[in-house]
Amino acid sequence: MDRQGFIDYNTLFSPENSRKATSYAQAIRILDEVLVHQNVIDLHGQSLYDIAETDTIEKVLLFVNDEVKKMKNGQHNIFDYGRFSQRSYPLKSFCTAALKSLKLYALYEQEIKAADAIVAQESNPRIISKRLITHFEITKEGEDVVSVTKRRKGQDYFRRMILNIYSSRCALTGIDIPQLLIASHIIPWEEKNHKQDRLNPSNGICLSTLYDTAFDKGLITFSPSDYTVCLSSALREHETREYFDQYFGIIIGKKLTMPTEYLPNREFLEYHYNCIFQK
């Protein structure tokens, strides 16, 4: 676990807390500074980010809760060792909220490690997808909080897989800026007849945002026979525009850069060509 991972976790899986993500990280920093002055829980000189055991995080949470109560009652407490400006974080419950979130983040990290083990054990991408769907419990449809969170976890792991096998580069342009890269589904997630392939690594292509959107909308596709780019008639209507050659003319007939493993499934590309591509 690390600070940026913790911020990303809160932003991705707790959208209602996305504005608080940085504040949670600041709260953990404050706790790291003051917890060295206590002898109730032995943290072995570690940062809270170094603690993977959720039981230990829970013990810290209970301890901090007690210390916050002492602070509110004007008693000597662990936060007396911090700067005065830091007292607002525990008083506003940011420290306890951050610890609760850190515990969930630790559990999520454990889920990721287990998912990595599944991928390492299997070579068949369809079996990988089936096992990952079971692992992340992506079975129930709906928009309740539990279902949405499970779906986000699966989608986040899918992105992680796809970026890894494409060496974190767009398969068309070579762009390697993570914030601009998308794990594009060939057969869309929403396609109910292909639920079993939602987390199939052969159902993904790493594309930068412009080409991901064009692919998603059926404005471009990739030939099932040789993985070269095809432009739709809807896109070719803009051939006279100044931007066309710069962004689309240059990719006509261009072949995808292949991933290190799990090549895009030709049957999935045929589906995209026949059902999504605007010929």
Side-chain angles (χ1 to χ4, degrees):
M1 301 197 297
D2 58 47
R3 180 180 183 278
Q4 190 56 52
F6 182 52
I7 292 174
D8 292 343
Y9 170 82
N10 276 292
T11 302
L12 183 62
F13 299 119
S14 302
E16 68 279 8
N17 292 330
S18 60
R19 293 182 180 178
K20 300 178 182 178
T22 303
S23 294
Y24 282 1
Q26 173 69 359
I28 295 298
R29 187 183 70 78
I30 291 170
L31 289 170
D32 276 342
E33 290 178 355
V34 301
L35 285 172
V36 296
H37 299 288
Q38 58 85 34
N39 57 11
V40 177
I41 304 171
D42 188 0
L43 300 177
H44 306 287
Q46 295 177 306
S47 164
L48 288 169
Y49 292 123
D50 297 325
I51 300 172
E53 299 81 14
T54 55
D55 288 347
T56 302
I57 297 174
E58 181 65 25
K59 289 178 183 177
V60 174
L61 174 59
L62 294 174
F63 172 74
V64 169
N65 264 327
D66 288 340
E67 295 300 302
V68 171
K69 290 178 183 177
K70 291 178 184 178
M71 179 193 292
K72 291 179 178 179
N73 291 329
Q75 298 172 281
H76 177 67
N77 62 85
I78 195 69
F79 295 101
D80 290 339
Y81 295 100
R83 294 187 296 276
F84 180 78
S85 62
Q86 296 175 341
R87 294 173 63 85
S88 64
Y89 277 81
L91 284 173
K92 292 180 180 179
S93 301
F94 275 113
C95 289
T96 50
L99 285 168
K100 290 176 183 177
S101 182
L102 188 69
K103 182 178 177 181
L104 292 175
Y105 175 45
L107 290 171
Y108 171 66
E109 288 284 287
Q110 292 173 17
E111 279 188 307
I112 292 299
K113 289 180 181 178
D116 284 343
I118 289 171
V119 175
Q121 291 166 3
E122 297 289 349
S123 57
N124 186 316
R126 281 200 153 125
I127 295 177
I128 287 174
S129 182
K130 182 178 179 180
R131 290 191 59 188
L132 287 176
I133 286 170
T134 300
H135 175 69
F136 288 109
E137 300 180 327
I138 306 172
T139 53
K140 182 181 176 182
E141 298 295 332
E143 292 301 320
D144 58 274
V145 173
V146 174
S147 295
V148 170
T149 299
K150 288 176 179 177
R151 186 167 70 242
R152 284 199 187 110
K153 287 181 179 181
Q155 290 171 332
D156 180 61
Y157 190 79
F158 181 77
R159 180 179 189 277
R160 187 171 180 270
M161 267 196 309
I162 297 304
L163 263 64
N164 182 53
I165 63 176
Y166 281 88
S167 302
S168 294
R169 292 178 179 275
C170 171
L172 268 182
T173 64
I175 287 175
D176 60 357
I177 303 171
Q179 297 92 326
L180 297 179
L181 298 178
I182 308 292
S184 305
H185 276 83
I186 301 173
I187 297 182
W189 180 283
E190 295 76 16
E191 177 49 61
K192 293 184 178 181
N193 292 330
H194 291 270
K195 289 181 182 179
Q196 71 277 11
D197 288 306
R198 283 176 167 175
L199 300 182
N200 184 333
S202 289
N203 189 31
I205 301 171
C206 183
L207 296 172
S208 52
T209 50
L210 172 63
Y211 299 110
D212 164 72
T213 302
F215 185 61
D216 182 61
K217 301 297 183 183
L219 296 175
I220 65 172
T221 194
F222 305 104
S223 168
S225 61
D226 61 5
Y227 301 110
T228 55
V229 177
C230 305
L231 301 191
S232 69
S233 56
L235 194 55
R236 287 183 180 276
E237 290 177 1
H238 300 270
E239 282 181 325
T240 58
R241 301 293 180 89
E242 183 179 349
Y243 59 76
F244 184 88
D245 285 339
Q246 183 177 358
Y247 297 109
F248 299 106
I250 61 170
I251 65 168
I252 295 174
K254 187 172 182 178
K255 186 174 181 178
L256 283 174
T257 298
M258 291 293 103
T260 55
E261 53 186 333
Y262 308 120
L263 302 185
N265 186 293
R266 295 181 189 277
E267 292 180 9
F268 298 166
L269 288 174
E270 286 179 3
Y271 174 93
H272 190 275
Y273 181 84
N274 292 322
C275 302
I276 299 174
F277 183 55
Q278 300 180 36
K279 301 180 183 65

